Amino acid sequence: MNLIAVLISVSAVAASSLFAVHQLRSMRRSNETLVAIELLTRECRTTEFLESEEFVVNELRKHSPEGGIGALPADARRHVSRIGLYYGSLGFLAVFGGIQEKMVVSLMPWRARRSWFALEPYIMVERTLRSPTHFAYFEHLVCMIAEADLAEIHEGLRLRKIGARSAEFKRQFLARPGQAGQARLAEGTAEPNPPAPQKRQEAAP
C-alpha cells in the first residue's frame, strides 16, 4: 500500500510539473503574440513612425554626421531615436528570447536595412564620441537579417504561393456570387457593353 501511495504521489508531481511547463510555454507564446502585434504590426504603421522613417531615409542626409546623433537638431534627433529604438527593441527581444528570430527577420527585412544604412554614418560617429555601444541591438538585428536565408525560412513556414495558378485564382475570385458577369468578361465570353433591351411595343387596339 505504501508503494502504491508513493507511485500515486510521484505521478501527481510529474503531472503537475508537465502542466506547469505547458502553462509556461503557453504564456511565452502569448507574450510573443502581444509583442508581435504591438511592434511588428501597430507601431510601424503609425503616422509618427512613418514620418520618422521618411525623414531618416530621405531627409537625414542633409545634416552632416560629423557631430554624431547628439549634434543633430532636436527634430532630427527625435526621428532618429524613434527609428533606432524601434529596431533596437526588436533586436533586443530576439537576443533574449522574447520573440522568435524568424518572426522578426522575415517580416520587415528591407525596411530595417534601409534605415540602418541611412543611420550608419551617424551611429559610427556617435560611438566614437559618446557611446561605443550605441544602437548595438539595432546592428545585431541587421546582421541577423543579412545572414538569414529568407527563401529557406518561407519554405520552412510552408507559405503558400499562387504561382502558375494566378489565372485560376482570378477566375475563381471573379466567379463569386454577383460577379459572374465579370468572370465572363475576363474569359472573353461576354460583350463589355451588351445592348439594352428594347421595349416591346403594344399592338394598337
Side-chain angles (χ1 to χ4, degrees):
M1 294 296 293
N2 291 335
L3 179 61
I4 294 175
V6 170
L7 291 176
I8 293 175
S9 299
V10 171
S11 300
V13 171
S16 299
S17 300
L18 291 174
F19 179 76
V21 170
H22 176 73
Q23 289 295 100
L24 288 174
R25 290 177 178 174
S26 298
M27 290 175 61
R28 180 176 179 180
R29 285 195 295 268
S30 299
N31 290 336
E32 289 179 350
T33 301
L34 291 174
V35 170
I37 292 174
E38 186 64 31
L39 288 179
L40 299 182
T41 61
R42 291 181 183 173
E43 174 64 20
C44 63
R45 296 180 181 181
T46 62
T47 301
E48 293 80 6
F49 185 89
L50 294 176
E51 289 177 350
S52 294
E53 186 178 47
E54 175 70 18
F55 177 87
V56 166
V57 173
N58 297 315
E59 302 295 331
L60 181 60
R61 65 174 66 98
K62 298 178 182 179
H63 301 278
S64 173
E66 291 182 359
I69 296 174
L72 294 172
D75 287 344
R77 289 200 309 272
R78 175 172 53 84
H79 291 304
V80 169
S81 295
R82 178 176 288 123
I83 298 301
L85 292 175
Y86 171 76
Y87 288 115
S89 297
L90 294 181
F92 176 88
L93 291 171
V95 169
F96 289 97
I99 192 171
Q100 294 183 12
E101 291 185 11
K102 292 181 180 179
M103 187 182 297
V104 180
V105 168
S106 62
L107 189 60
M108 53 178 59
W110 178 72
R111 293 176 67 179
R113 285 186 293 186
R114 182 182 63 171
S115 295
W116 169 263
F117 291 130
L119 287 170
E120 186 176 20
Y122 305 84
I123 295 173
M124 295 300 108
V125 174
E126 187 70 18
R127 290 179 178 181
T128 301
L129 297 178
R130 299 177 183 88
S131 174
T133 59
H134 197 70
F135 286 157
Y137 291 106
F138 185 3
E139 185 176 15
H140 175 79
L141 173 67
V142 176
C143 290
M144 285 172 45
I145 292 172
E147 296 167 0
D149 188 337
L150 294 181
E152 182 179 349
I153 291 176
H154 289 178
E155 182 177 354
L157 295 173
R158 302 179 67 180
L159 298 183
R160 298 182 181 182
K161 297 181 180 180
I162 294 178
R165 296 177 295 172
S166 178
E168 177 186 352
F169 280 15
K170 183 177 181 180
R171 285 196 298 270
Q172 291 177 358
F173 171 76
L174 293 175
R176 290 176 182 174
Q179 295 178 323
Q182 295 184 28
R184 289 195 298 271
L185 285 175
E187 296 175 357
T189 59
E191 297 181 6
N193 296 307
Q198 297 180 355
K199 294 183 179 181
R200 185 176 61 183
Q201 296 182 353
E202 297 182 358

